Amino acid sequence: QVQPVESGGGLVQPGGSLRLSCDASEFTADYYAIGWFRQAPEKEREGVSCIRQSDGITYYADSVKGRFTISRDNAKNTVYLQMNSLKPEDTAVYYCAASVAVAAMPGTAPASNALLEPLYDYWGQGTQVVVSS
């Protein structure tokens, strides 16, 4: 089954940093966007950030804006999520996902549209991030 593959999760202290990686080898075409989602215990999955392969436009949820940065390395077919100033409430399983619909949106679409879970077609298995002292 074709899917992105996450890595890089772990335990980090509050205020610390962590970088997640998403192997998106199967989703490098311009008609994909790659997103990061997270699901905390007993909460619904929420969109965190995404990047469009065609033009590099990025989107962020308000809860992570200014702390998280999404980027891509085309040579490695990898999308990264750099997470800084981590808080205990960032504890969650983080998922990487690929979307055709988000890639087709106008570049001016709001983040709330670009991070809609139903728009993502392919999902990874997730990587656990725990922020705790």
Side-chain angles (χ1 to χ4, degrees):
Q1 184 177 355
V2 175
Q3 63 183 158
V5 180
E6 308 92 339
S7 61
L11 173 64
V12 62
Q13 292 187 341
S17 298
L18 204 60
R19 189 179 76 165
L20 304 182
S21 300
C22 173
D23 180 351
S25 300
E26 303 294 334
F27 307 100
T28 59
D30 285 351
Y31 51 81
Y32 285 112
I34 304 299
W36 285 98
F37 289 74
R38 66 185 182 185
Q39 187 167 20
E42 301 181 0
K43 290 190 176 180
E44 292 188 354
R45 190 154 55 185
E46 63 172 350
V48 174
S49 181
C50 76
I51 186 168
R52 296 178 2 152
Q53 298 286 47
S54 60
D55 52 20
I57 288 178
T58 59
Y59 304 87
Y60 295 94
D62 288 342
S63 58
V64 305
K65 201 173 294 183
R67 300 189 298 124
F68 292 10
T69 302
I70 192 169
S71 63
R72 60 185 179 178
D73 184 332
N74 292 334
K76 295 182 178 180
N77 297 327
T78 301
V79 173
Y80 300 102
L81 185 68
Q82 177 67 43
M83 306 185 294
N84 298 329
S85 303
L86 283 162
K87 306 174 182 179
E89 50 263 44
D90 295 317
T91 295
V93 177
Y94 283 72
Y95 298 90
C96 182
S99 169
V100 172
V102 174
M105 284 181 176
T108 53
S112 56
N113 287 3
L115 296 174
L116 287 172
E117 182 178 347
L119 298 182
Y120 287 76
D121 312 289
Y122 305 93
W123 290 84
Q125 296 297 312
T127 185
Q128 177 74 56
V129 172
V130 176
V131 184
S132 175
S133 55

